[in-house]
Amino acid sequence: MKLEMEKLISHLKTMGFVFQGSEIYGGLANSWDYGPLGAELKNNIKQAWWDFFIKKNPYNIGLDSSIIMNSKVWEASGHIGNFNDPLIDCKACNSRWRADKLIEEKFTEMNVGGWSNEQLENFIEEKKIKCPKCDKTNFTEIRKFALMFKTNQGVIEDMTSTVYLRPETAQGIFVQYKNTQRALRKQLPFGIGQIGKSFRNEITPGNFIFRTREFEQMELEFFFSPNDSKNWFQYWLDNVQDFLENTIKIKKENYLLREHDKDELSHYSSRTVDIEFKYPFGIGELWGIAHRGDYDLSQHQKVSGEDLTYLDPVTNERYLANVIEPSVGVERLLLAVLCQSYKEEALENGERVVLSLPNNLAPYKFAILPLQKQQVEKANEIYLNLISKTGISGTFDDKGNIGKRYRRQDAIGTPYCITIDFDTDNDGCVTVRERDSMNQNRVPINQLEEYLKENTK
Ligand code: GAP
């Protein structure tokens, strides 16, 4: 069954995962807030990334840099000059479009990422591409639309106080490369990763949380010697796939790799591979792995005047490190996980919606459900003991019939429902029901912690 986005969006709202931003004021286009369960799920994804790429990787260390930086950073990185989208207006109905997306949405097999404005204009005219809103073919020339949000720092609004909200977290890493390397006494190869908000004034945000103006990135900049013969690009491509398949449990058949061709490569990249996910609305970029060479360090060295070269302790040579960058958006990963997990199932006595989230990502790992009033106290004691002593996140629900309580936990992806019944007093055991199979088994209360830890890693 093909997942309908409307159904997923409505489910996520009802269950407390994702709400429309500023909803009581009529909303703000394409802004989304994460409810209690969405916030847990998002945090679990970020924690999983941090554990895999920072804590458990022998080469990497973490950073948390500012959103607002000296504007020279963006001059050096090329964002002030180059970070813009080709904007085109329909003269008939005044609607505004991204010229490249107009083409790619009509010719889905094409990728026109590296095309000049002239190429785009000619193609639109030649193929008589219509305005998606009014069906006319009467467009303006393409104009550049700067994607960075501008604001002012300090009390005086003038040119010298202009600052930008960062459009990527990567530059914060390049700017602190030297401090980080020195403070941690790192030798090449090593990587610096960070998770944080980025902002882009996208012309056509959309598809729920897929493309928004405010989003979070998890980026790793991996620095290595230009003389290093190891294929670090392949190493990181393999690591990203390992993380996707074994930690986040994205199924192999749900994603594909796409190598950028020469025309499409960004100005800083000599090789880029995108990992694309099969979203319900079409195939879309999830994760980009780019070889950035020494572009960023050499630009920052030039504009800041700081020496960013590395003195090789073995060869005594000085050089600028090369960089491989795996970069992913938290929300795109979250959306991929949700699309893959959402299921509607027919049961003997009705139907259920299940979020078959990987156990390690589920907002709650367990729910304690006392069957009768008499067991509420005992159940509460088990619940409080588990959450305070073990730190495993869980929930408690003693309201309504047990069938409905199971349905609610299935719908929010809780892997284990634990019921306390009359036998509990006699045998010291509880019934544990597994979300996907709905199988039940008896587990001694004193082994619950171990059971949950083992099964929700
Ligand atoms: N530092 C490199 C960089 O930022 P990018 O391909 O522009 O590269 C990296 O962005 C990732 O960030 C994308 O693969 C995507 O997952 C996410 N991303 C980019 N723009 C986004 C947006 N407007 N909304 C949500 N996620 C976005």
Side-chain angles (χ1 to χ4, degrees), residues 234-287:
Q234 194 58 42
Y235 173 87
W236 286 111
L237 191 55
D238 292 345
N239 266 270
V240 166
Q241 285 177 265
D242 177 7
F243 176 76
L244 277 179
E245 285 176 33
N246 300 316
T247 303
I248 300 288
K249 310 279 169 25
I250 296 291
K251 294 185 190 134
K252 222 182 178 55
E253 67 264 26
N254 286 342
Y255 76 85
L256 36 111
L257 303 188
R258 193 176 63 77
E259 179 97 35
H260 283 209
D261 62 33
K262 263 205 330 288
D263 293 339
E264 194 192 348
L265 285 172
S266 307
H267 58 285
Y268 54 73
S269 177
S270 59
R271 185 181 176 198
T272 295
V273 172
D274 282 346
I275 295 189
E276 300 181 323
F277 185 80
K278 297 176 189 169
Y279 292 102
F281 44 81
I283 291 172
E285 178 184 336
L286 170 63
W287 207 315

Side-chain angles (χ1 to χ4, degrees), residues 231-456:
N231 188 345
W232 287 111
F233 194 98
Q234 194 58 42
Y235 173 87
W236 286 111
L237 191 55
D238 292 345
N239 266 270
V240 166
Q241 285 177 265
D242 177 7
F243 176 76
L244 277 179
E245 285 176 33
N246 300 316
T247 303
I248 300 288
K249 310 279 169 25
I250 296 291
K251 294 185 190 134
K252 222 182 178 55
E253 67 264 26
N254 286 342
Y255 76 85
L256 36 111
L257 303 188
R258 193 176 63 77
E259 179 97 35
H260 283 209
D261 62 33
K262 263 205 330 288
D263 293 339
E264 194 192 348
L265 285 172
S266 307
H267 58 285
Y268 54 73
S269 177
S270 59
R271 185 181 176 198
T272 295
V273 172
D274 282 346
I275 295 189
E276 300 181 323
F277 185 80
K278 297 176 189 169
Y279 292 102
F281 44 81
I283 291 172
E285 178 184 336
L286 170 63
W287 207 315
I289 295 108
H291 194 313
R292 299 180 74 115
D294 66 7
Y295 173 80
D296 303 273
L297 290 182
S298 76
Q299 281 296 108
H300 286 302
Q301 178 167 269
K302 198 160 80 194
V303 178
S304 70
E306 277 281 324
D307 178 3
L308 298 179
T309 55
Y310 173 81
L311 177 63
D312 193 312
V314 181
T315 62
N316 230 12
E317 257 182 289
R318 272 200 171 277
Y319 49 73
L320 282 172
N322 275 215
V323 171
I324 304 290
E325 173 197 69
S327 168
V328 62
V330 178
E331 292 81 0
R332 291 211 184 161
L333 204 46
L334 179 76
L335 185 57
V337 168
L338 287 167
C339 290
Q340 194 184 264
S341 303
Y342 181 94
K343 288 179 198 146
E344 291 170 7
E345 286 179 0
L347 302 174
E348 271 172 26
N349 54 350
E351 55 188 34
R352 68 171 185 162
V353 171
V354 202
L355 275 191
S356 289
L357 295 169
N359 289 357
N360 57 331
L361 300 183
Y364 298 133
K365 311 300 182 209
F366 68 90
I368 299 278
L369 315 173
L371 282 187
Q372 269 136 347
K373 266 210 163 65
Q374 294 91 314
Q375 293 117 23
V376 168
E377 201 179 324
K378 175 87 188 154
N380 204 28
E381 190 188 309
I382 298 174
Y383 166 66
L384 291 176
N385 195 39
L386 275 176
I387 57 168
S388 61
K389 264 192 126 172
T390 65
I392 304 173
S393 62
T395 183
F396 181 91
D397 187 4
D398 62 350
K399 293 183 190 65
N401 78 47
I402 188 67
K404 284 205 175 126
R405 282 187 272 164
Y406 279 149
R407 289 299 90 82
R408 173 159 175 89
Q409 296 306 323
D410 291 342
I412 62 173
T414 308
Y416 297 105
C417 282
I418 300 170
T419 49
I420 322 291
D421 55 30
F422 282 121
D423 289 338
T424 304
D425 282 339
N426 304 325
D427 63 3
C429 291
V430 289
T431 302
V432 179
R433 169 192 178 270
E434 199 272 328
R435 179 194 61 210
D436 295 347
S437 64
M438 293 185 280
N439 288 339
Q440 306 197 355
N441 61 70
R442 297 286 285 171
V443 177
I445 294 172
N446 61 12
Q447 286 173 28
L448 261 183
E449 176 179 345
E450 210 36 52
Y451 183 92
L452 290 172
K453 276 193 173 152
E454 193 47 40
N455 289 294
T456 58

